[in-house]
């Protein structure tokens, strides 16, 4: 592994002098190569899916793992999109002249070597590699073992485009023969790696954050909340809650807990429970919710929520519902259980919305919209490396500019300090 | 210690709703309280200095430790300066509307709880505490043991200003009875602390970076270089080299190694060696430098440089001098030995300057100016927490805006994701 990392690190120089034009061309070549390799990629994917099935991996994982024409098209679309994004390197972020006449420029530069550790979705391989390339970063990819064949087929296509353009293929380094015990070594390789981005299970993210000597940009779980205020437009609230739970329950920006103001709880809960029943969403309710709904809808299947449920990212058609006395109780609940990813308030009360947006300490705070918008594309960033739950450097959707850092260029005419 | 950290963390809420006006008033009250406590602070400092002397600590440390009227005035000036800086919290960093009509605002917010670990200079206590307060961060200060009495006297004055304004004094938490073995626990307290800023010896910084589960913003050593190009204005070069070495040799932005183009080496070295001899700067020269200077100035005391010298941050009236064949050799040397803090090129050649500024991977890169400008005040930021040698979040002088992170506030009218 050390040899691979050395090669990756030393390939960094290749990226320094690529023009934006050439980078765009290489990304379009990657698109062509992935298109050409479609058959090989799908065949490789079949091997992974078969292995996953015979290992009895869960169906959500197998779904994420499986590639089809539509997912390949999505990879191609994302490569096209990234090719056409504005080059983030060299952007002048700030500039000024100091008292002594020195001219300062704060300029965006690549981070250097970015290591992304991720799980089953093979499309992440192409997305992350292309974003890193566009931002002139070397990437080191550590994908899930279960997606190995698919990932290798994709990386092989990307490498063809690099080689065709005379670029050192180590700028996209895929760690294939990676063993579980290699992880602890990898996250100590601060000599070769500038940042680690772990995407995946909470335990993995926690292990890496606590043991890495390399700076970590966590992509931890999304324990997202929606608070429905007394003043909410309840039709909007219903639509948003259903969208945030059901449009893609496996996403980290899906809502896991609804907090409902007591004064509108009865009216709202009745509509909500009926809709959720039709859609197949299982409710974990607080005591009051269970009491009320069991009485109103006698055959409703409803479970009792406890602190464990409030702390569970279901990623499934399950949801916690809690009735609260007021905004303060909702804020307290969110402070206690949120993973600081995304939360929403549904309200027509200006002061309550202001308080919610100011006081909740999460990356993305919504007033009257679905938490499902926490995504690079929805934000307008284009493809994303993921959704950071870090507090420093990158928060929320991590796109191209979050893959840069900066330096100061300072021009003088012989100035010395007095 | 856990109890202190809990109190610090929970005092964070106090800071959320302070107006910029009130924060400014509190900072001006801090200034008054430090002024009033001047006698107590100087008396306390005498105890520390006496203890340091009887423990035979080195003179540079004792100098940094010692407070006098001038240093107290500097503290007062820095408090005034910080009070009057623009409030960094709530600044709208970016804003746009997405395809669905959602209104996005990217807003600067405090990081939360900032822990600064520093050494002997007691003025750091007031500077860091006031910057954290201005940016609505709780600070946890871990000062050097040798400055304990001085630090406690300063913190006590700052606390008076907080209490006078009804603000929880735990927002400035000074860890006084801190034992060496507490460090390893402190840097695992990710539950209470959002970022650790270690300022001080390389060993300490390395230990913290490698063992902390909390994100670290390193303030590591300054192994700074100046390259004097063939095309340099040699009068400027001489002035800049002397300033960068001698104006404050103990500073991290002082130069430690000069790299001189061979074609101007003889002429430049002769002037440089004479000036350095007068000023008492000891030269560690490469083979050619030693050979040339020993011949030209027979009584010159000069040592031979080796890889160890090139890797040594002298912080003293000592300097490495190496003759290089060209810019490339200078870039290679810098890549190998630099701590990525500050480097300068002295040149009139446009292309060489461009290459130097683009290719050297350091926080602050100067063309024709002294590296001594790498400082929050000189940059125009006002007081600084220090000079970050991190690549992420904050690079170079870390002022008020580097003490903030951001959140996204997103306003909708019922939007859901399609």
């Amino acid at each position: 592994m050390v040899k691979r990392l050395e090669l990756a690190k030393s390939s960094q120089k290749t990226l320094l002098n690529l023009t934006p034009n050439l980078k765009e061309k290489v990304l379009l070549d990657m698109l062509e190569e992935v298109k050409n390799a479609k058959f090989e990629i799908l065949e490789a994917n079949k091997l992974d899916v078969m292995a996953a099935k015979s290992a009895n991996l869960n169906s959500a994982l197998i779904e994420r793992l499986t590639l089809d024409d539509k997912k390949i098209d999505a990879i191609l679309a994302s490569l096209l999109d990234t090719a056409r994004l504005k080059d983030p390197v060299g952007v002048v972020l700030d500039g000024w002249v100091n008292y002594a006449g020195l001219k300062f420029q704060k300029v965006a530069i690549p981070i250097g070597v970015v290591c992304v550790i991720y799980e089953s979705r093979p499309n992440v391989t192409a997305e992350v590699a292309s974003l890193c390339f566009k931002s002139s970063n070397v990437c080191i990819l550590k994908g899930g073992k279960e997606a190995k064949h698919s990932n290798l087929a994709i990386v092989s296509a990307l490498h063809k485009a690099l080689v065709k353009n005379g670029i050192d293929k180590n700028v996209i380094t895929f760690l294939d023969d990676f063993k579980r015990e290699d992880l602890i070594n990898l996250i100590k390789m601060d000599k070769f790696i500038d940042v680690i981005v772990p995407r995946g299970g909470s335990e993995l993210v926690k292990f890496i954050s606590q043991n890495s000597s390399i700076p970590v940009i966590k992509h931890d779980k999304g324990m997202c909340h929606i608070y429905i205020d007394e003043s909410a437009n309840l039709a909007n609230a219903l639509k948003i809650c259903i969208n945030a739970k059901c449009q893609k329950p496996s996403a980290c920006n899906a809502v896991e807990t609804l907090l409902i103001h007591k004064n509108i709880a009865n009216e709202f809960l009745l509509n909500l429970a009926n809709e959720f029943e039709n859609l197949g969403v299982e409710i974990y309710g607080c005591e009051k919710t269970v009491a009320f709904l069991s009485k109103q809808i006698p055959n409703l299947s409803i479970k009792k929520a406890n602190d464990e449920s409030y702390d569970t990212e279901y990623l499934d058609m399950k949801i916690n519902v809690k009735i609260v006395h007021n905004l303060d109780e909702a804020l307290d609940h969110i402070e206690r259980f949120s993973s600081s990813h995304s939360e929403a308030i549904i309200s027509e009360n200006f002061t309550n919305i202001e308080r919610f947006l100011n006081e909740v300490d999460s990356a993305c705070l919504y007033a009257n919209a679905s938490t499902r918008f926490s995504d690079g594309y929805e934000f307008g960033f284009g493809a994303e490396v993921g959704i950071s739950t870090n507090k420093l450097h990158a928060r929320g959707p991590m796109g191209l500019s979050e893959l840069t850092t900066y330096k100061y260029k300072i021009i003088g005419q012989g100035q010395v300090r007095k």
Side-chain angles (χ1 to χ4, degrees), chain A:
Chain A
M1 184 172 67
V2 174
K3 186 70 200 157
R4 300 289 306 277
L5 299 185
E6 265 174 13
L7 288 171
K9 170 90 184 167
S10 65
S11 74
Q12 213 184 326
K13 282 203 174 157
T14 326
L15 294 174
L16 256 182
N17 294 313
L18 302 185
T19 60
N21 254 351
L22 180 56
K23 287 195 282 180
E24 187 172 340
K25 175 180 180 301
V26 173
L27 287 163
L28 294 174
D29 286 347
M30 287 180 181
L31 186 159
E32 286 306 315
E33 295 295 344
V34 170
K35 207 189 276 176
N36 295 339
K38 187 170 159 178
F39 178 75
E40 287 83 353
I41 295 170
L42 290 175
E43 287 300 303
N45 185 247
K46 277 182 199 156
L47 293 178
D48 289 331
V49 172
M50 261 166 34
K53 280 181 178 160
S54 56
N56 277 321
L57 297 183
N58 71 60
S59 61
L61 188 143
I62 289 175
E63 197 214 303
R64 287 200 296 274
L65 178 60
T66 307
L67 290 176
D68 53 20
D69 280 8
K70 222 177 120 191
K71 283 197 191 161
I72 299 276
D73 285 348
I75 292 177
L76 299 176
S78 135
L79 284 168
L80 182 63
D81 190 69
T82 302
R84 292 193 173 153
L85 283 174
K86 185 168 175 255
D87 199 302
V89 176
V91 173
V92 179
L93 305 166
D94 203 354
W96 68 94
V97 179
N98 84 342
Y99 73 94
L102 289 176
K103 289 199 281 291
F104 289 76
Q105 279 202 341
K106 183 179 179 179
V107 182
I109 60 165
I111 290 175
V113 180
V114 176
C115 175
V116 182
I117 299 177
Y118 56 106
E119 291 183 332
S120 46
R121 294 197 311 122
N123 30 336
V124 171
T125 307
E127 282 166 21
V128 168
S130 60
L131 284 168
C132 285
F133 183 76
K134 179 81 178 189
S135 51
S136 298
N137 288 292
V138 171
C139 69
I140 294 172
L141 302 171
K142 213 304 270 167
K145 193 172 56 133
E146 65 286 355
K148 185 175 162 177
H149 296 97
S150 321
N151 285 333
L152 279 174
I154 292 169
V155 168
S156 153
L158 303 179
H159 278 175
K160 272 187 193 151
L162 291 174
V163 170
K164 193 174 155 187
N165 288 282
I167 297 167
D168 184 346
K169 69 181 184 180
N170 294 304
V171 302
I172 299 175
T173 290
F174 182 77
L175 300 176
D176 44 358
D177 52 349
F178 194 87
K179 287 166 216 71
R180 186 174 272 272
E181 58 270 27
D182 291 334
L183 183 64
I184 187 72
N185 295 323
L186 179 66
I187 63 180
K188 300 283 185 194
M189 294 284 175
D190 43 86
K191 209 170 134 189
F192 303 116
I193 301 171
D194 293 298
V195 63
I196 290 204
V197 179
R199 292 174 49 148
S202 253
E203 282 310 306
L204 176 76
V205 173
K206 197 175 165 190
F207 176 79
I208 293 174
S209 305
Q210 300 207 327
N211 293 287
S212 174
S213 67
I214 305 165
V216 175
I217 297 182
K218 281 184 297 203
H219 288 50
D220 205 349
K221 67 177 181 178
M223 189 65 218
C224 304
H225 298 78
I226 297 180
Y227 167 61
I228 300 102
D229 193 27
E230 182 179 19
S231 66
N233 172 326
L234 294 185
N236 274 347
L238 191 65
K239 193 175 64 170
I240 290 169
C241 290
I242 289 166
N243 182 262
K245 179 74 263 179
C246 306
Q247 198 242 350
K248 190 178 176 190
S250 66
C252 61
N253 53 21
V255 69
E256 306 294 3
T257 299
L258 304 180
L259 303 163
I260 305 175
H261 192 286
K262 65 177 190 327
N263 292 357
I264 47 102
N266 289 359
E267 180 188 351
F268 185 66
L269 270 178
L270 212 52
N271 291 327
L272 186 78
N274 282 321
E275 289 276 1
F276 274 168
E277 202 182 13
N278 292 337
L279 292 160
V281 177
E282 191 171 24
I283 295 177
Y284 288 69
C286 69
E287 214 160 301
K288 283 184 204 153
T289 302
V290 172
F292 173 75
L293 285 178
S294 311
K295 208 163 121 190
Q296 297 289 324
I297 316 177
N299 293 325
L300 186 74
S301 140
I302 185 167
K303 294 202 167 132
K304 251 194 91 180
N306 54 25
D307 280 359
E308 203 193 316
S309 3
Y310 293 138
D311 204 24
T312 301
E313 187 193 19
Y314 295 118
L315 298 173
D316 203 349
M317 295 290 262
K318 296 177 181 175
I319 197 161
N320 302 312
V321 173
K322 185 182 179 185
I323 296 172
V324 294
H325 280 84
N326 49 34
L327 174 61
D328 286 298
E329 194 185 339
L331 294 175
D332 287 346
H333 182 98
I334 291 172
E335 188 182 341
R336 183 160 168 215
F337 293 105
S338 164
S339 65
S340 300
H341 187 298
S342 301
E343 339 286 339
I345 178 172
I346 317 300
S347 173
E348 295 298 318
N349 181 297
F350 186 79
T351 301
N352 287 355
I353 291 177
E354 273 290 297
R355 281 195 60 198
F356 191 89
L357 299 183
N358 290 326
E359 295 181 27
V360 177
D361 183 21
S362 298
C364 309
L365 295 164
Y366 295 85
N368 299 324
S370 169
T371 53
R372 287 278 297 125
F373 284 103
S374 291
D375 172 280
Y377 279 104
E378 304 297 318
F379 267 51
F381 293 172
E384 59 172 35
V385 180
I387 314 277
S388 158
T389 54
N390 246 45
K391 221 159 170 192
L392 297 184
H393 187 78
R395 245 194 144 190
M398 187 176 172
L400 271 185
S401 37
E402 288 74 25
L403 283 169
T404 65
T405 177
Y406 58 84
K407 60 162 74 164
Y408 292 102
K409 297 182 180 178
I410 304 139
I411 309 289
Q413 307 87 31
Q415 281 89 339
V416 296
R417 189 158 160 192
K418 297 283 179 289

